[in-house]
Amino acid sequence: MSDDLKVAVLGVGKMGAFHVESLSRRTRGTRVTVVSDADTARATEVAASVGARTESDPFAAIAADDVDAVVLASPGAAHEAQVLACLERGLPVLCEKPLTTESSTAYDVVKRETALGRRLVQVGFMRRFDHEYAALRELIGSGGVGAPLMLHCTHRNPAVPDFFDSEFMIRDSVVHEADTARFLLGEEIAAVSVVKGAPTSSAPTGTTDPMLVLFEAESGALVTIEIFVRTGIAYEVRTEVVGERGSAMIGLDQNLVTKLPGGRWGGQSSPDFVARFGQAYDTQMQCWADAARAGGVDGPGTWDGYAAAAICEAGVAAVQTGGRIEVGMGGRP
Amino acid sequence: MSDDLKVAVLGVGKMGAFHVESLSRRTRGTRVTVVSDADTARATEVAASVGARTESDPFAAIAADDVDAVVLASPGAAHEAQVLACLERGLPVLCEKPLTTESSTAYDVVKRETALGRRLVQVGFMRRFDHEYAALRELIGSGGVGAPLMLHCTHRNPAVPDFFDSEFMIRDSVVHEADTARFLLGEEIAAVSVVKGAPTSSAPTGTTDPMLVLFEAESGALVTIEIFVRTGIAYEVRTEVVGERGSAMIGLDQNLVTKLPGGRWGGQSSPDFVARFGQAYDTQMQCWADAARAGGVDGPGTWDGYAAAAICEAGVAAVQTGGRIEVGMGGRP
Amino acid sequence: MSDDLKVAVLGVGKMGAFHVESLSRRTRGTRVTVVSDADTARATEVAASVGARTESDPFAAIAADDVDAVVLASPGAAHEAQVLACLERGLPVLCEKPLTTESSTAYDVVKRETALGRRLVQVGFMRRFDHEYAALRELIGSGGVGAPLMLHCTHRNPAVPDFFDSEFMIRDSVVHEADTARFLLGEEIAAVSVVKGAPTSSAPTGTTDPMLVLFEAESGALVTIEIFVRTGIAYEVRTEVVGERGSAMIGLDQNLVTKLPGGRWGGQSSPDFVARFGQAYDTQMQCWADAARAGGVDGPGTWDGYAAAAICEAGVAAVQTGGRIEVGMGGRP
Amino acid sequence: MSDDLKVAVLGVGKMGAFHVESLSRRTRGTRVTVVSDADTARATEVAASVGARTESDPFAAIAADDVDAVVLASPGAAHEAQVLACLERGLPVLCEKPLTTESSTAYDVVKRETALGRRLVQVGFMRRFDHEYAALRELIGSGGVGAPLMLHCTHRNPAVPDFFDSEFMIRDSVVHEADTARFLLGEEIAAVSVVKGAPTSSAPTGTTDPMLVLFEAESGALVTIEIFVRTGIAYEVRTEVVGERGSAMIGLDQNLVTKLPGGRWGGQSSPDFVARFGQAYDTQMQCWADAARAGGVDGPGTWDGYAAAAICEAGVAAVQTGGRIEVGMGGRP
C-alpha cells in the first residue's frame, strides 16, 4: 500500500515482536519494512512473518530509503545513539522506555529535539492510552475529586527473572508509576524515598522485594507505591487518587465474575501486562502512527522520558542510601 | 433472672437448637425453661445444655406455669394445633414457617387471632430482619427507585436431601421469596406460574431443579425467581428491584476479597443459611422477645403466614399443571 | 492504498456513519469508496469527510467497479434485495441486523448463499466480538460452569423514541439477546413466551415496557430476558449463566470507582451502546475486513441471521397473543 | 434480674451513652446500675432512661456495693486513676482507649494487673470484634496469604472538630490502626515515621491532614496508613494485607448497590463509626460481659493498651520531628 507509513522496528524481543504484530495486523496505515536485531536469526524470522527485510546495522535501518519512522524496542543502552540518529534524519520515533539510561543523556535528547523545533520522539508510556488511566486523568483534570492530595499505586508482577534486583525494580517497574504520577497529577516529582521492609522469601539475596517507594510532588501531594514483582499471583496494577473532594480507584480488574465449586466467587486477574494493557499498546501505536504520517508525534515526549529518568535516578539513589533523595531536574529548554 | 421471658421451644432439630442457643446466649431478657421434641433423647440433651427441663407432650409445655412464650420449630404439620393452643392461652409465639401447611387452616388461624383482638403470633420470616433486605425495603418505600416494576430473585442452595422435590422447593424455599416479594413490594401476589427447564443431572428423577417461578403482583409488577437447590456451590440469595427511576441489588456477598495463587481474585460465598442470615435470626429473636415481654408481637404475623401459604399453594398447583395459577386469598378479617 | 479493501457503505445514519469512521480511521486495510443514502445531503457530507464518492442508487453502488465489499446499514426492509444483489456479484457483506425483516425471506437468503457454495454474508451481531461475551462463551464452551441450565439477560436503555413499541422492542433489542443466547448456549431456541407486567409510566399507551421474555432452548435450558428501554438510567447489558457446576456473570460495568461527597461510592454506567460496545464494533469490522480481503467471511452468518429472525417472529407473536409460541425453523440447507 | 452483671458506666458522652444503651437493651445478662459524669444533668438524664442511679464521684461508683464491673468512657486523662481503683477492688473493666495517656503510666497499669495475677482490664479496641477484621486475622493466622509483608490501612472521617490537630489524629485515630496492625500481624511495632504532604484546604493552620504514617513491625513487615479526617465524604476504613502467597482486602463497604438517574451505579458508604462498627461494639460488649460475669476478661488487655500508647507516643514524636522514631517498649512483666 503505497502511502502506508514504512516503519523500521529495532529490537524484536518480546516487546518489539508485539509491536511488529501491531504494526502489521492491527494498526491502520502502517507497514513494517525493516527489522533489525542483534540476534539475526530472530530478526530474520520476525521479518519473514510480515514480509519485511532485515538490516543487521540499526543505523543502516534508520538511514534506509524505505523507512519513514522508527520503533525502538532495542536494549535501553542503545537508545541514546539510535534516537539521536532518528532526530538527525527527521524521523518520527516511538521509543520504549527508558528514553536513555541516564537523566543527563536524556536531557541531551530533550535539548537536541528542542533545537530541531519540532517534536519527533514519543516515549512508550502506554498507560496513558489505557481507558481507565485516561478516565482517571480526565476525572482529576475536571476537578472531579478536588485537588489531589495522595496517590496510592500498587504494581505487582507474578514473577520476574533473578536479575530484577531492587535497582532494576526502580528502573523497569517504578518508571511506569513515575510517568503515571506525573500524568495524573499534572506536575513534577520533587523527591523520592524508599522504605525497605522484609523481603519475600523467594527474592534473591540482597534484593528487597517488595519495597515501598514514596514520591513527593511539587505541590506536596504524596505518592505511595507498593512495588512487588514476585507475588506468585498475577499482574496487578491499581491506582487510587485521594483528593480534597473525593477519591477514585482504577485497576479493580472485574469483568467476568464466576461462582465455582467450593463457594468461591470472583474472577481472574490479568496474567501479564499484555492481557492488562494490550489495548493500550495498540491504541498508543495507532495514535503514534497517525501523528507520524502527519510528520510528528503528540504523545508523551522527550521531556516525559527525561523526567522519568531523573525520578528513577533518585529512586536508585534512595534504594542505595535508604534516605530521601531530591529529584534534580534541569529547566525545560 | 426473675423477670426474664420464660420460653418453651417445641422442636429442637437444627433450627430449634439454633433458637435455643440464641435464647440462652445471645438474646437479652429470655430464658429457655422447657424443651419438647418427639426425639426425647435429643430434647434431653438440648435442655440439659441450657438448664431447661423437658416435656414430652408439646401441649403440656404450652400449658406449663413456667412458660411465658413459645418458639415453634416443630414439623409444619404440627403448627396449626400448637399455634391455636398458644392463642388459647394468650401466649406470644414465634412460629417457624409455614404458619400451617394449608392456606385454609392458615386462614383459620388469622381469624382466631383477629377474634382475640391482639396479635400474638409472629411468623419466622427472618429476612425482614436482615440489614440488606431492610435497607432495600427502606429504599423502595422512600421512593428511591420509583414504583417497582420487576423484582429478580435468586435462591440457590449448595445441596439438599433427595426429598426436596419440586413441590418441596416451592413450600420450603420459594416461601421465603413469597414473603420477600410482599415485604419489598408492599402488596399481594395475584398469580403464580412455574416454568420448568432442563434439570441438573444430580436432581432425582421427576424433580425439576432448577425452576423459574413467576409471581404477578396486584399492581402488575413481575417477580422472577430462580430456585436452584443443588448448585454444588454455596448458599446464594440475591434480589434486584427494577423501578421506574432506578434499580437496586442486594446479596452480592462481598466482604473479604482475596487474591490467591493462580491469579484468582474474589471471596467466599456463604456456605449455608446460618452464615448468611445468622444475624437476621438473632435480631428477629431479640425483636420478638422484646415485644413478647410487653405482651404481644410486632413482626410479620398470621396474615403474612397465610399469604405465603396461599402463594405456595398456587405455586404447587403451577408445578403440577405447568400453567398460570391465580392466588385465591380471602379478605382480611 | 492500492490493495485496501474498497467498501461501499449503504445507509449512513448513526450506525452507518459509525462504520464509515471505523473503516476510514480505525480499521486496517479498508477504504470507503462509495456512500449511498436516501438522504443525499447526508450521503454527500459523510462521503466528503472520508474522500469517498456517492451513489444515489444502492444497487449501482453494489455493481460499481470501485467496490470490493459492502457494509449494509440501510433500513431493514431494504436488506433482502441488497444482500441478494451482493451475493449475485460475489461481494462480501457486513449486514446490520436484521438480515431481513421476515424469517421466510431470511431463509431464502440462507438458501441462496448455500447454493453459492461459499460464505459471503456476516450479520452484525457485534456482541460476539466483545471481550466479556467472548470470555463467557469460552468459559461455557470449556465446561467451566458445567452444562448451562439458565441464562439471565438484562437489556436496558435509558430512553428511546416513541415508535419503540412492544413489537419493536422484540425486533430491535431482544434480537441481540436471541443471538447472544444461541452464541452462548451453542444451540437453537425452541420457544418464546412474553410476560407483560405493569408498564413504566413514561411508556406510550399500548406499549408494555418493561417486558419479561422467556426463551426455551432445545436442551431445555431457560433464558430469561428483562427488556426495559425507558429506564432513565443508562445503557445496561448484563448476562448471567447458571450451569450445573457454577455460574458466571458479565456486564458489571465497573472500571473507575469513585467516592464522592454525600458518601456515595460507585461509578458511571455506559451512557449508550457505543460506549459499551464501541470496541466490539471495531473488532467486528477488523475481523470482517480481514476475512473479506481473503474473499469470504467467518463471523455470524446468514443462518444466525435467519435464526434471530425466526425467534423474533415468535416473540412478536407472543407479544400479540400473550402465549407461548414455538419457533418454527426450517432445516439447515 | 438478680444475677445480671451490675455495671457502672463512668462518662456518658456519645460513646458512654452508646454503651449504656448496649448494656441495657442489646447485651444479655447486664444491667446498668450506676452512671457517673462530670456533667450531672447529663448523668441524671442517661441514668433515668435505664433505671440506674447516679454518683457524682466516679470513685464512689467504683466502690459501690451495687457495682460488679465498670465501663470507662470518661476522658482519657481520668483513666489511669479509675482503672487502678477498679484493679484494687478486683472489678472487671472495659476501658475505652486510651488505656492511659502516656505509655509510662500504661506500663504501670500492666505491672499492677500482672501483680494481681489475673486479667481484669479489657481495652476498647472494638475492631477485633468486627466480622471482617476477625475474618482477615483468621485468614492471616491460617497462613492463607503466607507471611504478611505489607499492610495498607486507610482511615478516613468525613469531618472532625478543629481541635483534631496532627497529634490528635495520631492519638485518636491512628491508635486504632496501631492495634489493628498488631492484631493482624501478631507482632509488635518497632518504629514509626510520619510523612506530611499537602494539607486539605479545610484543615486548620498547622494541621497536616491527611498524613501518611508508616509502621515497621519487628519482622520487617511495613504498615502504611493514610489518615485523613476531613474528607467530606464518609467514614471509610479499609485494610489490605499483602503476603508472600496472596493478598486480601476488607472494608469495601458494598451491600446495597443501586443504579440511579444520571447512570451512576454504586452504594452508600458508612456515614460514621456507629454505622460501620455498631455490630462490633455490641459484640465486644457481650464478650466482655460474659467474661466479666465469670470474673475476668479475655479481650485485648493492658498490654495491648500499653503497646498502643507506646506506638502513638512515637507517632506524635514523628509528627513533631518529621523523622523516624523507634518505639521504646519495656519487657512484658
Side-chain angles (χ1 to χ4, degrees):
Chain A
M1 292 163 276
S2 53
D3 57 356
D4 273 351
L5 186 77
K6 296 186 288 292
V7 182
V9 179
L10 310 188
V12 286
K14 184 173 181 185
M15 198 69 252
F18 182 90
H19 287 322
V20 167
E21 276 293 305
S22 181
L23 287 161
S24 306
R25 317 252 186 250
R26 300 186 301 268
T27 306
R28 180 182 173 81
T30 57
R31 188 155 47 104
V32 178
T33 49
V34 180
V35 166
S36 177
D37 198 288
D39 178 341
T40 53
R42 171 79 175 170
T44 302
E45 180 194 347
V46 171
S49 73
V50 298
R53 65 185 184 85
T54 59
E55 276 282 2
S56 54
D57 176 6
F59 296 95
I62 292 169
D65 282 348
D66 56 350
V67 170
D68 299 329
V70 176
V71 169
L72 280 190
S74 48
H79 287 187
E80 182 185 2
Q82 293 174 355
V83 167
L84 292 176
C86 291
L87 284 179
E88 193 140 325
R89 244 205 89 194
L91 297 185
V93 182
L94 178 63
C95 177
E96 273 301 313
K97 48 92 188 163
L99 175 56
T100 71
T101 49
E102 283 129 41
S103 68
S104 58
T105 50
Y107 196 59
D108 289 343
V109 174
V110 172
K111 287 190 290 189
R112 197 75 68 91
E113 189 193 44
T114 306
L116 271 183
R118 58 192 269 235
R119 294 189 52 200
L120 284 173
V121 183
Q122 178 168 333
V123 181
F125 292 124
M126 84 295 170
R127 286 194 193 171
R128 297 188 178 207
F129 298 91
D130 174 66
H131 290 156
E132 297 190 8
Y133 278 98
L136 185 56
R137 178 176 150 107
E138 191 183 322
L139 179 75
I140 296 171
S142 71
V145 293
L149 299 172
M150 287 205 190
L151 200 63
H152 299 300
C153 304
T154 305
H155 183 124
R156 299 179 190 150
N157 294 75
V160 293
D162 271 2
F163 62 76
F164 251 80
D165 61 14
S166 297
E167 288 190 25
F168 200 90
M169 287 163 65
I170 300 289
R171 293 194 186 281
D172 199 73
S173 301
V174 175
V175 64
H176 281 296
E177 308 301 338
D179 190 63
T180 294
R182 296 178 64 250
F183 176 65
L184 293 176
L185 297 176
E187 57 173 325
E188 299 299 343
I189 302 306
V192 182
S193 311
V194 174
V195 185
K196 298 180 190 174
T200 190
S201 53
S202 63
T205 308
T207 295
T208 306
D209 181 15
M211 295 189 291
L212 180 72
V213 181
L214 300 178
F215 294 165
E216 298 164 43
E218 288 178 337
S219 68
L222 295 180
V223 182
T224 69
I225 301 162
E226 179 205 314
I227 173 71
F228 189 2
V229 298
R230 292 169 178 89
T231 63
I233 307 298
Y235 183 75
E236 301 172 61
V237 172
R238 203 169 65 216
T239 300
E240 180 180 24
V241 61
V242 185
E244 291 210 354
R245 290 199 303 278
S247 64
M249 192 186 292
I250 58 171
L252 295 173
D253 207 4
Q254 302 186 356
N255 289 312
L256 174 65
V257 177
T258 55
K259 298 205 176 189
L260 299 178
R264 197 162 162 79
W265 63 264
Q268 201 63 26
S269 298
S270 299
D272 56 27
F273 70 92
V274 173
R276 173 65 183 85
F277 286 120
Q279 163 267 320
Y281 277 104
D282 283 348
T283 304
Q284 168 187 254
M285 189 61 86
Q286 188 70 64
C287 291
W288 173 76
D290 289 348
R293 288 167 72 188
V297 301
D298 57 10
T302 50
W303 182 257
D304 301 298
Y306 164 60
I311 293 167
C312 289
E313 220 157 75
V316 168
V319 165
Q320 291 165 341
T321 64
R324 173 183 179 278
I325 306 291
E326 295 196 2
V327 178
M329 281 178 64
R332 193 152 185 167
Chain B
M1 292 162 275
S2 54
D3 56 357
D4 272 352
L5 186 77
K6 296 187 287 292
V7 182
V9 179
L10 309 187
V12 286
K14 183 171 181 186
M15 197 70 253
F18 182 89
H19 287 323
V20 168
E21 277 292 306
S22 181
L23 288 160
S24 306
R25 317 251 185 250
R26 298 185 302 269
T27 307
R28 179 182 174 82
T30 57
R31 188 153 47 103
V32 177
T33 49
V34 180
V35 165
S36 177
D37 198 288
D39 178 342
T40 53
R42 171 80 176 168
T44 303
E45 180 193 347
V46 171
S49 72
V50 298
R53 66 185 184 84
T54 61
E55 276 282 5
S56 55
D57 176 5
F59 296 96
I62 292 168
D65 282 348
D66 57 351
V67 170
D68 299 328
V70 176
V71 169
L72 280 189
S74 50
H79 286 188
E80 181 186 3
Q82 293 175 355
V83 167
L84 291 176
C86 292
L87 283 180
E88 193 140 324
R89 242 205 90 192
L91 298 185
V93 182
L94 178 63
C95 177
E96 272 302 313
K97 46 94 189 163
L99 175 56
T100 70
T101 50
E102 283 128 41
S103 68
S104 59
T105 50
Y107 197 59
D108 290 343
V109 173
V110 171
K111 286 191 290 189
R112 196 77 66 92
E113 189 194 43
T114 306
L116 270 184
R118 57 192 268 237
R119 294 189 52 199
L120 284 173
V121 182
Q122 179 168 331
V123 181
F125 292 124
M126 84 295 169
R127 284 194 195 173
R128 297 188 180 209
F129 298 92
D130 173 66
H131 290 156
E132 297 190 7
Y133 278 98
L136 185 55
R137 178 174 148 109
E138 191 184 322
L139 178 75
I140 296 171
S142 69
V145 294
L149 299 173
M150 288 207 188
L151 200 62
H152 299 300
C153 304
T154 306
H155 182 125
R156 299 178 189 152
N157 293 75
V160 293
D162 270 2
F163 62 76
F164 250 79
D165 61 13
S166 297
E167 288 190 27
F168 201 90
M169 286 163 65
I170 300 288
R171 291 194 187 279
D172 199 73
S173 301
V174 174
V175 64
H176 281 296
E177 308 300 337
D179 189 64
T180 294
R182 296 179 63 253
F183 176 65
L184 293 177
L185 297 176
E187 59 174 323
E188 298 300 344
I189 302 305
V192 182
S193 311
V194 174
V195 185
K196 297 181 191 174
T200 190
S201 52
S202 63
T205 307
T207 295
T208 306
D209 181 14
M211 294 189 292
L212 181 72
V213 181
L214 300 179
F215 294 165
E216 298 164 43
E218 288 178 338
S219 68
L222 294 179
V223 182
T224 69
I225 301 163
E226 178 205 314
I227 173 70
F228 189 4
V229 299
R230 292 168 179 89
T231 63
I233 308 295
Y235 183 75
E236 302 172 61
V237 173
R238 203 170 64 216
T239 300
E240 180 179 24
V241 61
V242 185
E244 290 210 354
R245 288 199 304 276
S247 64
M249 190 187 291
I250 58 171
L252 294 174
D253 207 5
Q254 304 188 355
N255 289 312
L256 174 65
V257 176
T258 55
K259 298 206 175 187
L260 298 179
R264 197 162 161 80
W265 63 265
Q268 201 63 28
S269 298
S270 299
D272 56 28
F273 71 92
V274 173
R276 172 66 183 85
F277 286 121
Q279 163 268 321
Y281 277 105
D282 283 348
T283 303
Q284 168 187 254
M285 190 60 87
Q286 187 69 63
C287 291
W288 172 76
D290 290 347
R293 289 168 70 188
V297 301
D298 57 10
T302 51
W303 182 258
D304 302 298
Y306 164 61
I311 294 166
C312 289
E313 221 157 76
V316 168
V319 165
Q320 291 164 343
T321 64
R324 173 184 179 276
I325 307 292
E326 296 198 3
V327 178
M329 281 178 64
R332 194 153 185 166
Chain C
M1 291 165 276
S2 52
D3 57 355
D4 272 350
L5 186 77
K6 296 187 287 292
V7 182
V9 179
L10 310 187
V12 286
K14 183 172 183 186
M15 197 69 252
F18 182 90
H19 287 322
V20 167
E21 276 292 305
S22 181
L23 287 160
S24 306
R25 318 251 186 250
R26 299 185 301 269
T27 306
R28 179 182 175 82
T30 57
R31 188 153 47 105
V32 178
T33 49
V34 180
V35 166
S36 177
D37 198 288
D39 177 342
T40 53
R42 169 80 176 168
T44 303
E45 179 194 346
V46 171
S49 73
V50 297
R53 66 185 183 84
T54 60
E55 274 283 5
S56 54
D57 176 5
F59 296 96
I62 292 169
D65 281 348
D66 56 351
V67 170
D68 299 328
V70 176
V71 169
L72 279 189
S74 49
H79 287 187
E80 183 186 0
Q82 293 175 355
V83 167
L84 291 176
C86 292
L87 283 179
E88 193 139 326
R89 241 205 90 193
L91 298 186
V93 182
L94 177 63
C95 176
E96 272 303 312
K97 46 94 189 162
L99 175 56
T100 70
T101 51
E102 284 128 38
S103 68
S104 58
T105 50
Y107 197 59
D108 290 342
V109 173
V110 171
K111 286 191 290 189
R112 195 77 67 94
E113 189 194 42
T114 305
L116 270 183
R118 57 191 269 236
R119 295 191 50 199
L120 284 174
V121 183
Q122 179 167 332
V123 181
F125 291 124
M126 85 295 169
R127 286 195 194 172
R128 297 189 179 207
F129 298 91
D130 173 66
H131 290 155
E132 298 189 7
Y133 277 99
L136 185 55
R137 177 174 150 110
E138 191 183 322
L139 178 75
I140 296 171
S142 70
V145 294
L149 299 172
M150 288 208 188
L151 200 62
H152 299 300
C153 305
T154 305
H155 183 125
R156 300 178 189 151
N157 293 75
V160 293
D162 270 2
F163 62 76
F164 249 80
D165 61 13
S166 297
E167 289 190 25
F168 200 88
M169 286 162 65
I170 299 289
R171 292 193 187 280
D172 199 73
S173 301
V174 174
V175 64
H176 281 297
E177 308 300 338
D179 189 65
T180 294
R182 296 178 64 253
F183 176 65
L184 293 177
L185 297 176
E187 58 174 322
E188 299 299 344
I189 302 305
V192 182
S193 310
V194 174
V195 185
K196 297 181 190 175
T200 191
S201 53
S202 64
T205 307
T207 295
T208 306
D209 181 15
M211 294 190 292
L212 181 71
V213 180
L214 300 178
F215 293 164
E216 298 165 42
E218 289 178 336
S219 68
L222 294 180
V223 182
T224 69
I225 302 162
E226 177 206 314
I227 173 72
F228 189 3
V229 299
R230 292 168 178 89
T231 63
I233 307 295
Y235 183 75
E236 301 172 63
V237 172
R238 202 168 64 216
T239 299
E240 180 179 25
V241 61
V242 185
E244 291 211 354
R245 287 199 307 276
S247 65
M249 190 187 293
I250 58 171
L252 295 172
D253 208 4
Q254 303 187 357
N255 289 312
L256 175 64
V257 176
T258 56
K259 299 205 174 187
L260 299 178
R264 197 164 161 78
W265 62 264
Q268 201 63 26
S269 298
S270 299
D272 56 28
F273 71 92
V274 174
R276 172 65 183 86
F277 287 120
Q279 164 267 321
Y281 277 105
D282 284 348
T283 303
Q284 168 187 254
M285 190 61 86
Q286 187 71 63
C287 290
W288 173 75
D290 290 348
R293 288 167 72 188
V297 301
D298 57 9
T302 51
W303 182 258
D304 301 298
Y306 163 61
I311 294 167
C312 289
E313 219 157 78
V316 168
V319 165
Q320 291 164 344
T321 64
R324 173 183 178 278
I325 306 292
E326 295 196 4
V327 178
M329 280 179 63
R332 193 151 185 168
Chain D
M1 291 164 274
S2 54
D3 57 355
D4 271 352
L5 185 77
K6 297 187 285 292
V7 182
V9 179
L10 309 188
V12 285
K14 183 173 183 185
M15 198 69 252
F18 182 90
H19 286 324
V20 167
E21 276 293 305
S22 181
L23 288 160
S24 306
R25 316 254 186 249
R26 300 185 301 268
T27 306
R28 179 181 173 82
T30 57
R31 188 154 47 103
V32 178
T33 50
V34 181
V35 165
S36 177
D37 198 288
D39 177 343
T40 54
R42 170 79 176 169
T44 303
E45 179 195 347
V46 171
S49 72
V50 298
R53 66 185 182 85
T54 60
E55 276 283 3
S56 55
D57 176 5
F59 295 96
I62 292 168
D65 280 350
D66 57 350
V67 170
D68 299 328
V70 176
V71 169
L72 280 190
S74 48
H79 287 188
E80 182 187 1
Q82 293 174 355
V83 167
L84 291 176
C86 291
L87 283 180
E88 194 141 324
R89 242 205 91 195
L91 297 185
V93 182
L94 178 62
C95 177
E96 272 301 313
K97 48 93 191 165
L99 175 57
T100 71
T101 50
E102 283 128 39
S103 69
S104 59
T105 51
Y107 197 59
D108 289 343
V109 173
V110 171
K111 286 190 291 188
R112 196 76 68 90
E113 190 193 43
T114 306
L116 271 182
R118 56 190 270 236
R119 294 189 52 198
L120 284 173
V121 183
Q122 179 168 332
V123 181
F125 292 124
M126 85 295 169
R127 285 194 194 172
R128 296 188 180 208
F129 298 92
D130 173 66
H131 290 156
E132 297 189 8
Y133 277 99
L136 185 55
R137 176 174 150 110
E138 191 183 322
L139 178 74
I140 296 171
S142 71
V145 293
L149 299 172
M150 287 206 189
L151 200 63
H152 299 300
C153 304
T154 305
H155 183 124
R156 299 180 190 151
N157 294 75
V160 292
D162 271 2
F163 62 75
F164 250 80
D165 61 14
S166 297
E167 288 189 27
F168 201 89
M169 286 162 65
I170 299 290
R171 291 194 188 280
D172 200 74
S173 302
V174 174
V175 64
H176 280 296
E177 307 301 337
D179 190 63
T180 294
R182 295 179 64 251
F183 176 66
L184 293 176
L185 297 177
E187 57 173 324
E188 299 298 345
I189 302 305
V192 183
S193 311
V194 173
V195 184
K196 298 180 190 175
T200 190
S201 53
S202 63
T205 307
T207 295
T208 306
D209 182 14
M211 294 189 293
L212 181 72
V213 181
L214 301 179
F215 293 165
E216 298 164 44
E218 288 179 336
S219 68
L222 296 179
V223 182
T224 69
I225 302 161
E226 179 207 314
I227 173 70
F228 189 4
V229 298
R230 292 169 178 89
T231 63
I233 307 296
Y235 183 76
E236 301 172 63
V237 172
R238 202 169 66 216
T239 300
E240 180 180 25
V241 61
V242 184
E244 290 211 354
R245 289 199 304 277
S247 64
M249 192 187 291
I250 59 171
L252 295 173
D253 207 4
Q254 304 187 355
N255 290 311
L256 174 65
V257 177
T258 55
K259 299 205 176 188
L260 299 178
R264 197 163 161 80
W265 63 265
Q268 201 63 27
S269 298
S270 299
D272 56 27
F273 71 92
V274 174
R276 173 65 183 85
F277 286 120
Q279 163 268 320
Y281 277 105
D282 283 348
T283 303
Q284 168 187 255
M285 190 61 86
Q286 188 69 63
C287 291
W288 174 76
D290 290 348
R293 288 169 71 189
V297 301
D298 57 9
T302 50
W303 182 258
D304 301 299
Y306 163 61
I311 294 167
C312 289
E313 221 156 75
V316 168
V319 165
Q320 291 165 343
T321 64
R324 173 183 178 277
I325 307 291
E326 296 197 3
V327 178
M329 281 179 65
R332 194 151 185 167

